[in-house]
Amino acid sequence: MTYEEAIGYILDIPKFTKKNTLLHTEQFLAELGDPQEKMKVIHVAGTNGKGSVCAYVNAMLLSEGKTVGLFTSPHLIKMNERIVINGCEITDEEFAAVFEEVLRTVRQMEEKGAPHPTFFEFLFGMAALAFAKAGVEYAVTETGLGGRLDATNVVKHPVLTVLTSIGMDHMEYLGNTLGQIAAEKAGIIKPGVPVFFAEGKTESNIVIEKHAKKMGCPCKKIGKSAYEILAITGKYIAFSCSNAYYGNTTWNLGNIGIYQVENAMLALEAMRFLFGAEGHPDRWRKALAALRRAGRMEEIFPDFYIDGAHNTSAVEGFAASVPKTEKKIILFSAVQEKAYEEMIHILCAEVPSDFYMVTAINNTRAVRPEVLRDIFRKYTDRPVIMKETIEEAISYLRVHRKGHTVYCLGSLYLAGEIKALMQEV
């Protein structure tokens, strides 16, 4: 089967399957030979920042000379982005080969009466198998949705659990309070496995700490006292770490998202636990400074940023990161299940712009641009310009941005589509 055929098959999976139990995922991975048990898994969950924490840990592990697999979601442009080995996305040929092996296993399961894996299960199985074949020592693994019932939660013996910031998102699946959502995320905590988590609201902190205690886990809360932000420019953030282990040096992140410092500290504390006195913070510092996160306050060309903020807490973090004095334009789009009116309210209140733009992503779940336009007009008297497609929006901005900095946010789909469009130009 060709790479294109493999991609087509995977994209069609949601049309003929439904959510499976963790027991099904366990059986699926067992049929593949339990590849996830052949490596040291660092398991990461949370509402915002989990992909960034995974990327930071991955970069620092590579700086230590380790062999590393990185499994994250979603992808922005190409599905290969989800399966990374030693810093490189798997090739189309490797993707097709591991797909065929997993598909053979799925067919054998179906012959025994087992249901087909879901889209996410299938890709997780592919990643675990690809990592095992590559002989990686560490697998940095991001949950897809929630944690307790997520397919990645079949990992029984991770070396470390990391929980990033908890916020209100996916409430239709995870609950309507921070406590309920935190409980779902904390569902990845395993007996005796150390837990590092980002300090949040008291409601979510208590849930995580109680669950860790119940499971007999060492548990460390990472708060703002762990670091000090020294400088924020248009291109990077400089910070220092409070613990003497990291040395009396300045750390830099090539990203203007203020929230990334917390993510970096979570990753640093994970590394400190794993390596202790044998770690090389000087290498970690260089690895973090060199890393650029795709779709997260990413400058895709001068003064033009795409950001994946797609819930209220992420938009609040975005608003805190944007320079107040610059001339700016916001391009916004969203999918229907998100709290897009609340996000728009935050943007209008916290990120006053010369004008706002709305458009529709190429997705059946997209919110119609006229709906977004009318909501913006409820909260701002600044001009609101509507374009039916992303292509039309970008064409308009090319002519009318006139020295403004452009920020595009509201959906990872928007970030991915803009990035793909720019690559075609």
Side-chain angles (χ1 to χ4, degrees):
M1 188 173 283
T2 67
Y3 171 79
E4 290 74 20
E5 290 170 334
I7 294 295
Y9 183 96
I10 293 170
L11 290 174
D12 268 346
I13 289 176
K15 297 177 184 176
F16 58 83
T17 191
K18 56 183 176 59
K19 175 68 177 174
N20 294 316
T21 64
L22 278 181
L23 178 60
H24 176 272
T25 310
E26 289 177 1
Q27 293 170 340
F28 171 45
L29 272 292
E31 292 285 344
L32 290 172
D34 280 324
Q36 78 283 2
E37 299 297 332
K38 298 173 182 175
M39 57 205 73
K40 299 172 184 175
V41 175
I42 299 164
H43 203 182
V44 183
T47 303
N48 294 312
K50 57 186 184 290
S52 293
V53 169
C54 287
Y56 291 145
V57 171
N58 177 70
M60 289 187 284
L61 285 171
L62 290 173
S63 79
E64 288 286 350
K66 303 300 180 181
T67 56
V68 191
L70 174 65
F71 176 66
T72 59
S73 61
H75 60 276
L76 289 180
I77 300 175
K78 197 171 182 180
M79 208 173 287
N80 308 45
E81 297 168 28
R82 297 171 181 249
I83 305 174
V84 175
I85 299 173
N86 293 330
C88 298
E89 297 171 12
I90 64 171
T91 65
D92 293 356
E93 293 75 20
E94 291 166 336
F95 189 100
V98 75
F99 166 84
E100 287 189 341
E101 189 164 345
V102 170
L103 184 60
R104 282 196 296 271
T105 298
V106 169
R107 295 301 185 220
Q108 292 166 3
M109 290 176 62
E110 288 182 314
E111 288 174 4
K112 300 174 187 175
H116 194 288
T118 63
F119 174 91
F120 187 78
E121 273 183 299
F122 198 103
L123 284 168
F124 177 51
M126 284 181 59
L129 187 60
F131 296 162
K133 286 182 172 296
V136 304
E137 182 179 359
Y138 289 91
V140 185
T141 303
E142 178 188 3
T143 58
L145 175 64
R148 181 176 64 91
L149 300 177
D150 189 75
T152 62
N153 207 24
V154 298
V155 175
K156 293 182 172 63
H157 307 289
V159 295
L160 191 62
T161 299
V162 181
L163 298 175
T164 66
S165 65
I166 306 297
M168 302 301 289
D169 199 9
H170 298 295
M171 287 86 80
E172 67 273 30
Y173 302 110
L174 304 181
N176 294 311
T177 69
L178 282 178
Q180 291 172 335
I181 293 172
E184 291 297 318
K185 307 291 186 181
I188 71 168
I189 294 174
K190 301 297 189 301
V193 176
V195 178
F196 292 89
F197 76 98
E199 181 177 14
K201 298 291 177 63
T202 301
E203 183 181 358
S204 58
N205 294 342
I206 289 173
V207 169
I208 293 168
E209 289 170 330
K210 281 186 175 180
H211 196 68
K213 184 177 180 180
K214 177 182 176 182
M215 303 293 277
C217 302
C219 182
K220 184 170 184 179
K221 178 171 60 181
I222 310 301
K224 297 194 185 316
S225 61
Y227 60 87
E228 179 183 357
I229 295 177
L230 304 175
I232 303 175
T233 75
K235 306 298 179 185
Y236 69 89
I237 293 177
F239 68 99
S240 62
C241 303
S242 303
N243 195 295
Y245 173 86
Y246 302 106
N248 187 25
T249 57
T250 298
W251 298 67
N252 292 309
L253 299 176
N255 188 294
I256 64 171
I258 195 169
Y259 46 84
Q260 291 293 11
V261 178
E262 177 182 85
N263 295 330
M265 280 308 311
L266 279 170
L268 282 165
E269 287 295 272
M271 291 294 291
R272 183 159 75 99
F273 167 79
L274 291 171
F275 292 94
E278 297 180 357
H280 300 85
D282 55 327
R283 298 181 189 174
W284 307 349
R285 189 163 55 90
K286 293 176 183 176
L288 292 183
L291 183 65
R292 298 293 180 270
R293 287 286 289 126
R296 277 73 173 180
M297 277 300 210
E298 180 186 7
E299 189 177 23
I300 55 175
F301 58 86
D303 298 324
F304 194 108
Y305 293 85
I306 55 173
D307 188 68
H310 58 276
N311 53 52
T312 53
S313 52
V315 171
E316 287 170 349
F318 165 82
S321 304
V322 175
K324 304 301 181 186
T325 55
E326 68 182 3
K327 297 172 64 177
K328 64 183 74 69
I329 299 166
I330 297 292
L331 173 59
F332 185 87
S333 191
V335 293
Q336 294 167 2
E337 64 268 25
K338 299 299 181 180
Y340 50 87
E341 180 157 359
E342 293 177 47
M343 290 192 279
I344 291 170
H345 189 190
I346 294 167
L347 289 173
C348 293
E350 303 295 333
V351 193
S353 303
D354 280 25
F355 65 87
Y356 300 90
M357 289 194 70
V358 296
T359 190
I361 58 174
N362 185 23
N363 190 295
T364 56
R365 293 150 51 211
V367 182
R368 290 295 306 153
E370 58 267 23
V371 174
L372 298 175
R373 176 199 61 198
D374 292 346
I375 295 172
F376 266 101
R377 287 177 174 171
K378 284 173 59 177
Y379 297 109
T380 184
D381 56 4
R382 304 285 178 98
V384 183
I385 296 167
M386 184 186 82
K387 295 296 177 183
E388 287 289 336
T389 67
I390 292 172
E391 290 83 355
E392 290 174 342
I394 298 300
S395 294
Y396 184 91
L397 287 171
R398 285 199 179 103
V399 176
H400 295 93
R401 59 180 297 198
K402 295 178 181 176
H404 291 67
T405 300
V406 177
Y407 296 98
C408 310
L409 73 155
S411 169
L412 276 167
Y413 296 107
L414 176 67
E417 287 184 36
I418 291 175
K419 192 166 185 177
L421 180 65
M422 293 305 185
Q423 288 184 0
E424 293 172 2
V425 174

